[in-house]
Coordinates of all heavy atoms in Angstrom, one line a residue:
L1 N 82.2 94.5 86.6 CA 83.3 95.0 85.8 C 84.2 95.8 86.6 O 83.8 96.5 87.5 CB 82.7 95.9 84.6 CG 81.9 95.2 83.6 CD1 81.4 96.2 82.6 CD2 82.8 94.1 82.8
V2 N 85.5 95.6 86.3 CA 86.6 96.3 87.1 C 87.2 97.4 86.3 O 87.8 97.1 85.2 CB 87.6 95.3 87.6 CG1 88.7 95.9 88.4 CG2 87.0 94.1 88.4
P3 N 87.2 98.6 86.8 CA 87.9 99.7 86.0 C 89.4 99.4 86.0 O 90.0 98.9 86.9 CB 87.7 100.9 86.9 CG 86.4 100.6 87.6 CD 86.5 99.2 87.9
C4 N 90.0 99.7 84.8 CA 91.5 99.3 84.7 C 92.1 100.3 83.6 O 91.4 101.0 82.9 CB 91.6 97.9 84.2 SG 91.0 97.5 82.6
V5 N 93.4 100.2 83.5 CA 94.1 100.9 82.4 C 94.9 99.8 81.6 O 95.6 99.0 82.2 CB 95.1 101.9 83.0 CG1 96.0 102.5 81.9 CG2 94.4 103.0 83.8
L6 N 94.7 99.8 80.3 CA 95.4 98.9 79.4 C 96.7 99.6 78.9 O 96.7 100.8 78.5 CB 94.6 98.5 78.2 CG 93.3 97.7 78.5 CD1 92.7 97.3 77.2 CD2 93.5 96.5 79.4
T7 N 97.8 98.9 78.9 CA 99.0 99.4 78.3 C 99.4 98.4 77.1 O 99.6 97.2 77.4 CB 100.2 99.4 79.3 OG1 99.8 100.3 80.4 CG2 101.5 100.0 78.6
L8 N 99.4 99.0 75.9 CA 99.7 98.1 74.7 C 101.1 97.9 74.5 O 101.9 98.9 74.4 CB 99.0 98.8 73.5 CG 99.1 98.0 72.2 CD1 98.4 96.7 72.2 CD2 98.6 98.9 71.0
N9 N 101.5 96.7 74.3 CA 102.9 96.3 74.0 C 103.1 96.2 72.5 O 102.1 96.0 71.8 CB 103.3 95.0 74.7 CG 103.2 95.2 76.2 OD1 103.7 96.2 76.8 ND2 102.5 94.2 76.9
Q10 N 104.3 96.2 72.0 CA 104.6 96.1 70.6 C 104.1 94.8 70.0 O 103.8 94.7 68.8 CB 106.1 96.3 70.3 CG 106.5 97.8 70.5 CD 108.0 98.0 70.2 OE1 108.7 97.0 69.9 NE2 108.4 99.2 70.1
D11 N 104.1 93.7 70.8 CA 103.8 92.4 70.3 C 102.3 92.1 70.3 O 101.8 91.0 70.1 CB 104.5 91.3 71.0 CG 104.3 91.3 72.5 OD1 103.5 92.2 73.0 OD2 104.8 90.5 73.2
G12 N 101.5 93.1 70.7 CA 100.0 93.0 70.7 C 99.5 92.5 72.1 O 98.3 92.4 72.2
T13 N 100.4 92.2 73.0 CA 100.0 91.8 74.3 C 99.6 93.1 75.1 O 100.0 94.2 74.7 CB 101.0 91.0 75.1 OG1 102.2 91.9 75.3 CG2 101.5 89.8 74.3
V14 N 99.0 93.0 76.2 CA 98.7 94.2 77.1 C 99.0 93.9 78.5 O 98.8 92.8 79.0 CB 97.2 94.6 76.9 CG1 96.9 95.0 75.5 CG2 96.2 93.5 77.4
W15 N 99.4 94.9 79.2 CA 99.4 95.0 80.6 C 98.1 95.5 81.1 O 97.6 96.5 80.5 CB 100.6 95.8 81.2 CG 101.9 95.2 81.1 CD1 102.9 95.4 80.2 CD2 102.4 94.2 82.0 NE1 104.0 94.6 80.4 CE2 103.7 93.8 81.6 CE3 101.9 93.5 83.1 CZ2 104.5 92.9 82.2 CZ3 102.7 92.6 83.7 CH2 104.0 92.3 83.3
V16 N 97.5 94.9 82.1 CA 96.2 95.4 82.7 C 96.5 95.8 84.1 O 96.9 95.0 84.9 CB 95.2 94.3 82.6 CG1 93.8 94.8 83.2 CG2 95.0 93.8 81.2
T17 N 96.3 97.1 84.4 CA 96.4 97.6 85.8 C 95.1 97.9 86.3 O 94.4 98.9 85.8 CB 97.3 98.8 85.8 OG1 98.6 98.5 85.2 CG2 97.6 99.3 87.3
A18 N 94.6 97.2 87.3 CA 93.3 97.4 87.9 C 93.3 98.6 88.8 O 94.3 98.8 89.5 CB 92.8 96.1 88.6
V19 N 92.2 99.4 88.9 CA 92.2 100.5 89.7 C 92.3 100.1 91.2 O 92.9 100.7 92.0 CB 90.9 101.3 89.5 CG1 90.7 102.4 90.6 CG2 90.9 101.9 88.1
K20 N 91.7 98.9 91.5 CA 91.9 98.3 92.8 C 92.2 96.8 92.7 O 91.8 96.2 91.7 CB 90.6 98.5 93.7 CG 89.4 97.9 93.1 CD 88.2 98.1 94.1 CE 86.9 97.3 93.6 NZ 85.8 97.5 94.5
A21 N 92.9 96.3 93.6 CA 93.3 94.9 93.6 C 92.0 94.0 93.5 O 91.0 94.3 94.2 CB 94.1 94.5 94.8
V22 N 92.1 92.9 92.8 CA 91.0 92.0 92.6 C 91.4 90.6 93.1 O 92.6 90.3 93.2 CB 90.5 91.9 91.1 CG1 89.9 93.2 90.7 CG2 91.7 91.6 90.2
R23 N 90.4 89.8 93.4 CA 90.6 88.5 94.1 C 90.8 87.4 93.1 O 90.1 87.2 92.2 CB 89.5 88.2 95.1 CG 89.6 87.0 95.9 CD 88.4 86.7 96.8 NE 88.7 85.6 97.7 CZ 88.4 84.3 97.3 NH1 88.0 84.0 96.1 NH2 88.6 83.3 98.2
A24 N 91.8 86.6 93.4 CA 92.0 85.3 92.7 C 92.2 85.3 91.2 O 91.6 84.5 90.5 CB 90.8 84.3 93.1
L25 N 93.0 86.3 90.8 CA 93.4 86.2 89.4 C 94.2 85.0 89.2 O 95.0 84.6 90.0 CB 94.3 87.4 89.1 CG 93.6 88.8 88.7 CD1 94.6 89.9 88.7 CD2 92.8 88.7 87.4
T26 N 94.0 84.3 88.0 CA 94.6 83.0 87.8 C 95.2 82.9 86.4 O 94.5 83.3 85.4 CB 93.6 81.9 88.0 OG1 93.0 82.0 89.3 CG2 94.2 80.5 87.9
L27 N 96.4 82.4 86.3 CA 97.0 82.2 85.0 C 96.1 81.2 84.2 O 95.6 80.2 84.7 CB 98.4 81.5 85.2 CG 99.5 82.4 85.9 CD1 100.7 81.6 86.1 CD2 99.7 83.7 85.1
G28 N 95.9 81.6 82.9 CA 95.1 80.7 82.1 C 93.7 81.2 81.9 O 92.9 80.8 81.0
Q29 N 93.2 82.1 82.8 CA 91.9 82.7 82.7 C 91.9 83.7 81.5 O 93.0 84.1 81.1 CB 91.5 83.4 84.0 CG 91.1 82.5 85.1 CD 90.8 83.2 86.4 OE1 91.4 84.2 86.7 NE2 89.8 82.7 87.1
F30 N 90.8 84.1 81.1 CA 90.7 85.1 80.0 C 90.2 86.4 80.6 O 89.1 86.5 81.2 CB 89.8 84.6 78.9 CG 90.4 83.6 78.0 CD1 90.3 82.3 78.4 CD2 91.1 83.9 76.8 CE1 90.9 81.3 77.6 CE2 91.6 83.0 76.1 CZ 91.6 81.6 76.4

């Protein structure tokens, strides 16, 4: 598990800011 901060947008989407950079994030993953 990766520590992060969620930022909630008005449309229900979220920005996810990881405490440290993670490898191989990919569009379409969950």
Side-chain angles (χ1 to χ4, degrees):
L1 292 176
V2 179
C4 67
V5 175
L6 299 186
T7 303
L8 182 64
N9 301 311
Q10 290 184 347
D11 59 359
T13 65
V14 297
W15 284 102
V16 182
T17 305
V19 171
K20 63 177 182 179
V22 292
R23 184 181 184 274
L25 278 171
T26 304
L27 296 174
Q29 289 177 320
F30 285 85

